[in-house]
Amino acid sequence: MDLGSLEITGGVPLHGEICIQGSKNAVLPILAACILGEGVCIIENCPQIRDVADTLEIMRYLGCRVQCAGKTVQIDASRVDAFEIGGEEAGRIRSSVLFLGALLGRMKKAVLPLPGGCAIGERPIDQHIAALRQLGARFYLEEKITADAVNLRGGRVCLSIPSVGATENAILASVLAPAETLIEHAAREPEVDELCGFLVKRGAQISRTAEGDIRILGGNKLGPARYRMKPDRIVAGTCLLAAVATRGTVAIRDFPCRELEALTEVLRDMGVSVVCGENRIEISAGRPLCAVPYLETAPYPGFPTDLQSPLTAVLCRARGESRICETIFENRFRIVPELQKMGAKIRIDGRCAVIKGLPALTPAKLAAPDLRGGAALVIAALQANGTSVIRNTEYIERGYEDICRDLRLLGAKIRQVV
Ligand code: EPZ
């Protein structure tokens, strides 16, 4: 695989206004949902990222007819006739585990390789299996995951942690089951609601209770749907943090400010001016930044784990000492040694990173360790006095359509080098 590199010259405040690509973490479960039922689905504003390309490969392998035209993807699942996903396809992305629920829903059977861990953590799927078992699925776990759900009945699913993927698998498996399903302690991430919105558009009856549980009145046949993806919350947050890091002024158009409330609250505490409109966020970070004495990542609506690395990069130049604690994944500080190459005063203390802000960072040759860590290193390089190079950027391309394009639009000196 071509491990490209990015060359970034820091010290340029970002200015301007941009729109954000469609959401990776919403489109992946929505693509899996396209195999539920025979109608043709058209997904607009689909992000052109590696994880989507790999998912569409899996869908072709299952028998879907997939047509792509720019950011519009058309999927005809009428001829889906397979229920086994090969190791090569599934091994490429962890989110292939979402086909477990979709295949049980459609085919009443599923065979997938055990999704391995990844750079940021062990990524178990015990919650997925427990939820699907509560819906009547049976599992045989040897070197593969083999499941059948001839008696898929719907019913009460009680998650012990608000796992995003387990919530989505429970929805995908139960939406066709002829019964009512209630998913208790469901994840509250907006991407879960977007999956529900897509399924409702196809004719499903899904709603959230006042307690945040998800109620599904199953048994509906799902029809065709045309659906436009909403903007990616994490890409939006990454762009805002890049603007803050460079002390710039940036606005994001057509974005629901409330979805990034946990981030905007932190930015205000850091001394950043944040203007939240109905569908627009504008930040201005002209003044020196204050450190964040203590912050924990948490399930939505808490501070998102996916923005922890990008924020950590920004705090390397905030005044004072910050402590950022990662409560979701066990190995999400892999950028620390890379930031230390830039002179950052950062150390790990248990599940926390402790950062003493400095006036400046030194440019360096860096290696992206994972998707969000790679984006964080871009942010670090944007604040360095000079030119840095970041390799292994194929990690970044998994979730960011074109980070060069987006940041260049805001005035950054950044280019792809092979
Ligand atoms: C989704 O992953 C996102 N991925 C992640 O984004 C995101 O970080 C995560 O949710 C949390 O918001 C997609 O949506 C494709 P979880 P997911 O199940 O579903 C533990 C990115 O950078 N857990 O909510 O895998 C798990 O180990 C990616 O875009 C179990 O113990 O997250 C983790 O500690 C990274 N057993 C915690 O729960 C299980 O069966 C949260 O995981 C499942 C999860």
Side-chain angles (χ1 to χ4, degrees):
M1 192 177 292
D2 163 33
L3 303 187
S5 294
L6 291 173
E7 185 184 87
I8 298 162
T9 302
V12 179
L14 301 188
H15 289 288
E17 183 170 289
I18 55 168
C19 272
I20 298 294
Q21 72 184 58
S23 168
K24 165 178 98 73
N25 290 348
V27 78
L28 296 177
I30 283 175
L31 289 174
C34 288
I35 72 168
L36 292 171
E38 302 192 355
V40 174
C41 293
I42 296 174
I43 309 296
E44 296 175 340
N45 194 33
C46 183
Q48 294 170 294
I49 54 178
R50 273 181 203 273
D51 275 13
V52 166
D54 288 342
T55 300
L56 293 177
E57 269 314 296
I58 289 174
M59 297 178 78
R60 289 187 182 97
Y61 182 86
L62 292 172
C64 293
R65 277 187 301 169
V66 177
Q67 291 169 297
C68 299
K71 294 175 187 275
T72 299
V73 176
Q74 177 172 304
I75 291 143
D76 175 352
S78 55
R79 296 196 185 134
V80 168
D81 54 4
F83 56 79
E84 176 159 4
I85 293 179
E88 201 268 328
E89 292 77 21
R92 277 192 251 161
I93 47 168
R94 272 197 43 76
S95 52
S96 55
V97 73
L98 293 171
F99 283 95
L100 185 53
L103 285 169
L104 287 176
R106 169 77 185 262
M107 306 297 287
K108 305 290 179 279
K109 277 203 80 160
V111 179
L112 282 80
L114 282 164
C118 69
I120 63 175
E122 195 253 327
R123 310 297 290 274
I125 59 165
D126 56 302
Q127 295 292 312
H128 298 241
I129 290 171
L132 295 170
R133 275 196 172 120
Q134 291 170 61
L135 292 169
R138 293 180 305 178
F139 283 84
Y140 314 91
L141 299 171
E142 283 99 26
E143 74 284 351
K144 287 188 177 182
I145 305 171
T146 304
D148 70 53
V150 284
N151 308 316
L152 200 68
R153 56 179 177 269
R156 178 175 170 270
V157 172
C158 187
L159 295 175
S160 52
I161 51 174
S163 157
V164 172
T167 302
E168 291 166 344
N169 254 333
I171 294 167
L172 293 166
S174 60
V175 71
L176 298 178
E180 176 174 320
T181 293
L182 182 69
I183 305 171
E184 297 177 354
H185 308 143
R188 295 166 180 251
E189 273 69 5
E191 293 77 24
V192 173
D193 291 308
E194 193 163 1
L195 167 65
C196 295
F198 170 71
L199 287 166
V200 165
K201 231 181 157 180
R202 293 197 69 187
Q205 289 179 275
I206 306 179
S207 58
R208 267 216 200 256
T209 67
E211 298 73 28
D213 299 337
I214 292 177
R215 186 183 304 284
I216 298 159
L217 298 179
N220 297 296
K221 214 163 144 38
L222 297 183
R226 176 184 287 270
Y227 184 83
R228 180 172 181 76
M229 295 307 304
K230 294 186 179 122
D232 189 304
R233 165 170 75 99
I234 304 303
V235 173
T238 307
C239 287
L240 292 177
L241 285 162
V244 171
T246 59
R247 311 298 187 268
T249 298
V250 162
I252 294 182
R253 262 196 326 272
D254 304 329
F255 186 83
C257 197
R258 70 186 176 293
E259 286 190 5
L260 278 175
E261 205 162 313
L263 172 64
T264 54
E265 267 174 37
V266 169
L267 294 181
R268 286 194 175 104
D269 292 346
M270 292 170 67
V272 176
S273 153
V274 180
V275 177
C276 259
E278 176 58 27
N279 230 5
R280 186 176 188 275
I281 303 182
E282 176 163 340
I283 66 100
S284 181
R287 300 195 304 269
L289 294 181
C290 304
V292 174
Y294 186 80
L295 179 72
E296 279 184 3
T297 60
Y300 193 88
F303 189 89
T305 174
D306 295 344
L307 290 177
Q308 177 265 104
S309 293
L311 175 65
T312 298
V314 173
L315 293 170
C316 291
R317 279 209 313 142
R319 273 191 182 162
E321 181 174 284
S322 300
R323 180 178 282 263
I324 306 297
C325 300
E326 174 56 63
T327 69
I328 306 291
F329 291 110
E330 60 271 30
N331 192 23
R332 215 165 194 181
F333 287 124
R334 301 175 73 228
I335 59 168
V336 168
E338 299 301 309
L339 294 173
Q340 289 168 338
K341 286 181 194 169
M342 303 178 81
K345 288 275 175 279
I346 180 170
R347 63 183 170 82
I348 300 296
D349 177 11
R351 295 201 71 163
C352 306
V354 182
I355 309 130
K356 275 193 187 335
L358 295 171
L361 290 179
T362 309
K365 290 196 182 322
L366 305 165
D370 53 57
L371 164 56
R372 306 300 175 186
L377 293 181
V378 170
I379 290 175
L382 286 171
Q383 2 176 21
N385 293 338
T387 301
S388 303
V389 175
I390 301 172
R391 61 188 170 79
N392 298 352
T393 52
E394 99 284 359
Y395 285 120
I396 302 175
E397 291 158 9
R398 281 193 45 217
Y400 295 82
E401 250 178 17
D402 188 338
I403 200 163
C404 275
R405 171 200 67 195
D406 292 347
L407 295 175
R408 257 209 303 271
L409 271 175
L410 298 171
K413 284 187 185 159
I414 178 173
R415 71 188 182 97
Q416 187 96 32
V417 291
V418 184

